[in-house]
């Protein structure tokens, strides 16, 4: 374990510098045991009894994420959705929550279809508008304000510090889905958030081969204890092999995200004047409505995600996606390979995604190859 104060990139590359005490190995083993031996006097002094409650393979990715987010503790879950849903299910009955109109569609669908069954009333607002947020919270009754920034699929930006102030003034918690920002580009807890959630399936793992989710807390309080117990009793646990792969991905988080950011910025700027596009949505562009807030609260870049709107409409967008050769037509984001997706096709009727929108997840390939592939896919309609 390293004790010096080091840059987060160093902590990530060395996964906190942990080595295996018994062998000196610089990579810790995967723990597959589902059960742990009791001491002869019937105690569990080594702290673990059963695999659903805990797994030693979680320790290192949880500790690393806690360090990267500057939090008090973290939990890994079986998916990003499992992590997010655990938060809502732990609020208790009669909770009022506020959520964004523009957010990961799967969570919006869960809130619309299931929140009521858990006694939760959800209000959806434009969280980029602080006035709308102030009007939506109900002092003494709102338990949680959930934001996502930058948010799928328009990459709208919410002011984290201002949202935290509004939430706290109403007696509510602020939770941030920071999946697209990653701990490299954003530290929501330092800006006043209480909880940070990631779909670790995306940038944290980064190789499109693990489904996982995480929560990080600013404080180890009673709500955190409930979340921890929600994971072990609800059983939304990550497998040991997946936890190992997640940590392996996290060790290269910084170079992957830094390169994806640089390429996304370059691609967004190059596409701005493209004759077949009516808009490029990327917080790194000065034209983006969230640019000023993003410039203030993001660190060193604006992320690897952008969207483009195809001038000739939905069919032209789908046709352009059909012609790419380097980009993969697939959902998800944050992997080393670049992905393109016609977003309205997946999000359904109440999606804020315009029908002509293609979402781009920029990977770590050569940005020139990505740009020319996209350019020829857009141009070959001529
Ligand atoms: C921003 C965001 N939040 C949450 C999720 C859900 O995560 P998972 O697919 O790991 O359950 C996703 C998945 O696409 C996402 O993009």
């Amino acid at each position: 374990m390293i004790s010096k104060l080091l840059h987060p990139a160093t902590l990530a590359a060395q996964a906190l510098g942990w080595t295996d005490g018994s062998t000196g190995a610089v990579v810790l083993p995967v723990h597959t045991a589902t059960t742990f031996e009791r001491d002869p006097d019937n105690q569990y002094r080594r702290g673990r009894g059963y695999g659903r409650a805990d797994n030693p393979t979680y320790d290192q990715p949880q500790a690393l994420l806690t360090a990267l987010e500057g939090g008090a503790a973290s939990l890994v879950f079986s998916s990003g959705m499992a992590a997010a849903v655990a938060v809502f299910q732990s609020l208790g009955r009669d909770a009022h929550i506020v959520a964004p109109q523009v957010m990961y569609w799967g969570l919006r669908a869960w809130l619309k279809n299931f929140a009521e069954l858990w006694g939760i009333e959800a209000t959806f607002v434009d969280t980029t508008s602080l006035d709308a947020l102030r009007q939506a919270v109900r002092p003494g009754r709102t338990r949680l304000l959930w934001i996502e920034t930058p948010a799928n699929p328009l990459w709208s930006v919410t002011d984290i510090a201002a949202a935290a102030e509004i939430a706290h003034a109403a007696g509510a918690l602020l939770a941030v889905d920071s999946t697209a920002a990653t701990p490299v580009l954003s530290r929501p807890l330092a800006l006043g958030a209480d909880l940070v959630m990631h779909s670790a399936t995306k940038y944290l793992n980064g190789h499109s081969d693990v489904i996982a989710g995480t929560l990080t807390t600013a404080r180890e309080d009673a709500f955190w204890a409930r979340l921890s117990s929600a994971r072990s009793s609800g059983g939304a646990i990550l497998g040991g092999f997946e936890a190992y792969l997640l940590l392996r991905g996290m060790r290269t988080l910084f170079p992957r995200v830094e390169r994806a950011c640089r390429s996304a910025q370059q691609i967004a700027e190059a596409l701005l004047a493209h004759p077949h596009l009516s808009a490029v949505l990327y917080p790194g562009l000065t034209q983006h409505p969230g640019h000023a807030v993003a410039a203030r609260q993001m660190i060193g870049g604006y992320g690897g995600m952008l969207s483009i709107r195809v001038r000739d409409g939905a069919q032209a967008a789908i046709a352009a996606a059909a012609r790419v050769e380097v980009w993969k037509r697939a959902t998800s984001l944050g992997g080393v390979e670049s992905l393109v997706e016609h977003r309205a096709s997946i999000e359904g009727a109440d999606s804020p995604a315009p029908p002509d929108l293609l979402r781009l997840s920029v990977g770590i390939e050569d940005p020139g190859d990505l740009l020319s592939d996209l350019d020829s896919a857009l141009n070959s309609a001529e």
Side-chain angles (χ1 to χ4, degrees), residues 13 32 55 86 147 151-152 158 176 185 207 212 237 244 246 260 291 312-313 366:
T32 55
N55 182 325
I147 61 172
N152 259 298
T158 295
V176 181
L185 307 172
H207 292 76
I237 55 163
Y244 165 82
L246 172 59
H291 178 71
D312 290 335
D366 176 72

Side-chain angles (χ1 to χ4, degrees), residues 77-84 103-107 146 148-152 155 177-181 197-202 210-214 305 331-333 343 359:
F77 285 80
S78 54
S79 67
M81 279 300 292
M103 69 187 296
Y104 170 57
W105 74 279
L107 185 54
W146 182 276
E148 177 181 329
T149 186
N152 259 298
W155 313 111
D177 180 340
S178 196
T179 299
M197 173 257 161
H198 289 280
S199 166
T201 313
K202 317 301 185 201
V210 169
I211 299 276
T214 65
M305 297 301 301
T331 195
S332 200
L333 58 100
R343 205 54 198 166
R359 188 181 80 173

Side-chain angles (χ1 to χ4, degrees), residues 205-282:
N205 171 261
H207 292 76
S208 308
D209 57 4
V210 169
I211 299 276
T214 65
L215 292 175
T216 302
T217 183
R219 291 168 305 280
E220 289 195 85
D221 55 9
F223 188 61
W224 183 251
R226 200 182 310 166
L227 283 171
S228 172
S229 144
R231 182 184 70 179
S232 55
S233 58
I237 55 163
L238 195 61
F241 291 106
E242 283 76 9
Y244 165 82
L245 282 174
L246 172 59
L247 180 73
R248 190 163 77 161
M250 287 170 75
R251 295 179 76 147
T252 57
L253 179 68
F254 279 75
R256 283 187 290 103
V257 170
E258 283 160 6
R259 180 165 171 102
C261 277
R262 276 198 307 277
S263 298
Q265 182 79 39
Q266 189 181 328
I267 291 168
E269 284 170 10
L271 290 178
L272 256 183
H274 200 286
H276 289 289
L277 297 182
S278 60
V280 179
L281 309 177
Y282 183 62

Side-chain angles (χ1 to χ4, degrees), residues 30-300:
V30 181
H31 286 267
T32 55
T34 56
T35 192
F36 299 83
E37 195 179 27
R38 271 186 192 275
D39 299 323
D41 61 356
N42 214 32
Q43 304 298 306
Y44 275 123
R45 278 199 195 73
R46 284 162 288 188
R48 299 180 222 261
Y50 185 55
R52 178 157 46 70
D54 212 354
N55 182 325
T57 319
Y58 297 171
D59 295 355
Q60 204 176 2
Q62 290 181 166
L64 175 57
L65 186 61
T66 302
L68 298 183
E69 290 289 0
S74 298
L75 291 165
V76 291
F77 285 80
S78 54
S79 67
M81 279 300 292
V85 163
V87 175
F88 293 107
Q89 289 179 339
S90 300
L91 290 174
R93 292 200 71 77
D94 294 327
H96 172 249
I97 65 109
V98 175
Q101 285 160 345
V102 177
M103 69 187 296
Y104 170 57
W105 74 279
L107 185 54
R108 184 177 60 239
W110 187 89
L111 287 168
K112 289 200 167 157
N113 297 330
F114 291 97
E116 222 180 296
L117 302 178
W118 289 84
I120 297 168
E121 186 190 347
T123 302
F124 294 90
V125 292
D126 173 6
T127 56
T128 68
S129 157
L130 299 181
D131 283 342
L133 272 183
R134 277 186 207 102
Q135 279 166 23
V137 293
R138 302 182 197 156
R141 177 146 152 60
T142 304
R143 297 282 315 282
L144 183 83
L145 171 50
W146 182 276
I147 61 172
E148 177 181 329
T149 186
N152 259 298
L154 308 179
W155 313 111
S156 19
V157 176
T158 295
D159 185 329
I160 300 172
E165 248 183 74
I166 294 169
H168 296 158
L173 299 173
L174 177 71
V176 181
D177 180 340
S178 196
T179 299
T182 81
V184 178
L185 307 172
S186 182
R187 310 283 296 276
L189 301 179
L191 297 171
D194 303 285
L195 283 174
V196 178
M197 173 257 161
H198 289 280
S199 166
T201 313
K202 317 301 185 201
Y203 290 99
L204 290 181
N205 171 261
H207 292 76
S208 308
D209 57 4
V210 169
I211 299 276
T214 65
L215 292 175
T216 302
T217 183
R219 291 168 305 280
E220 289 195 85
D221 55 9
F223 188 61
W224 183 251
R226 200 182 310 166
L227 283 171
S228 172
S229 144
R231 182 184 70 179
S232 55
S233 58
I237 55 163
L238 195 61
F241 291 106
E242 283 76 9
Y244 165 82
L245 282 174
L246 172 59
L247 180 73
R248 190 163 77 161
M250 287 170 75
R251 295 179 76 147
T252 57
L253 179 68
F254 279 75
R256 283 187 290 103
V257 170
E258 283 160 6
R259 180 165 171 102
C261 277
R262 276 198 307 277
S263 298
Q265 182 79 39
Q266 189 181 328
I267 291 168
E269 284 170 10
L271 290 178
L272 256 183
H274 200 286
H276 289 289
L277 297 182
S278 60
V280 179
L281 309 177
Y282 183 62
L285 296 174
T286 51
Q287 297 83 341
H288 190 278
H291 178 71
V293 176
R296 209 166 59 228
Q297 72 185 14
M298 296 183 80
I299 312 152

